[in-house]
């Protein structure tokens, strides 16, 4: 049991009554990022084909939910962004910590 009101998870509020939900209560696990069945890339790593097991495994950013407190439906739209960057060289200590012993 976590301490009250110290969570840092994003909270989704019912637009009707203000009841709060965590994303994991509204979204099915994996529904936001999807679960690809088959991904085909060309020789340069560019994705040229993608397929999902079922429609439910495709990324779904919009979810319909009925509030458990006021019993009114509302729509939740997730915004997910991904960033990729090269690792910073100074954070890679794997070769700098080799010490030579006499
Ligand atoms: Zn509500």
């Amino acid at each position: 049991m976590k301490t009250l009101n110290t969570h840092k998870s994003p909270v989704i509020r019912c637009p009707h009554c203000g009841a709060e939900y965590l994303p994991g209560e509204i979204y099915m696990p994996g529904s936001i990022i999807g679960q690809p069945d088959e991904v085909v890339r060309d020789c340069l790593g560019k994705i040229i084909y993608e397929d999902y097991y079922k429609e439910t495994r495709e990324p779904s950013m919009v979810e319909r939910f009925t509030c458990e407190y006021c019993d009114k439906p509302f729509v939740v739209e997730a915004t997910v962004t991904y960033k990729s960057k090269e690792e910073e060289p100074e954070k890679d200590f794997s070769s700098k910590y080799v010490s030579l012993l006499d």
Side-chain angles (χ1 to χ4, degrees), residues 13-19 21 66-72 74:
R13 285 187 178 82
C14 170
H16 305 291
C17 72
Y21 297 94
T66 301
C67 181
E68 295 170 0
Y69 290 88
C70 68
D71 213 31
K72 292 178 181 173
F74 62 93

Side-chain angles (χ1 to χ4, degrees), residues 9-68:
S9 305
V11 169
I12 297 166
R13 285 187 178 82
C14 170
H16 305 291
C17 72
E20 296 180 339
Y21 297 94
L22 296 179
E25 295 181 288
I26 290 180
Y27 283 93
M28 292 294 292
S31 67
I32 291 180
I33 58 174
Q35 189 169 359
D37 176 32
E38 187 179 8
V39 182
V40 179
R41 294 174 177 83
D42 67 13
C43 60
L44 295 175
K46 185 179 174 65
I47 294 175
I48 55 178
Y49 176 79
E50 62 184 78
D51 192 23
Y52 293 87
Y53 285 112
K54 300 171 186 173
E55 288 182 18
T56 55
R57 300 289 180 91
E58 290 184 26
S60 171
M61 310 303 277
V62 177
E63 197 72 45
R64 284 166 182 77
F65 187 79
T66 301
C67 181
E68 295 170 0

Side-chain angles (χ1 to χ4, degrees), residues 1-7:
M1 188 77 183
K2 297 277 173 83
T3 313
L4 288 174
N5 294 327
T6 58
H7 64 83

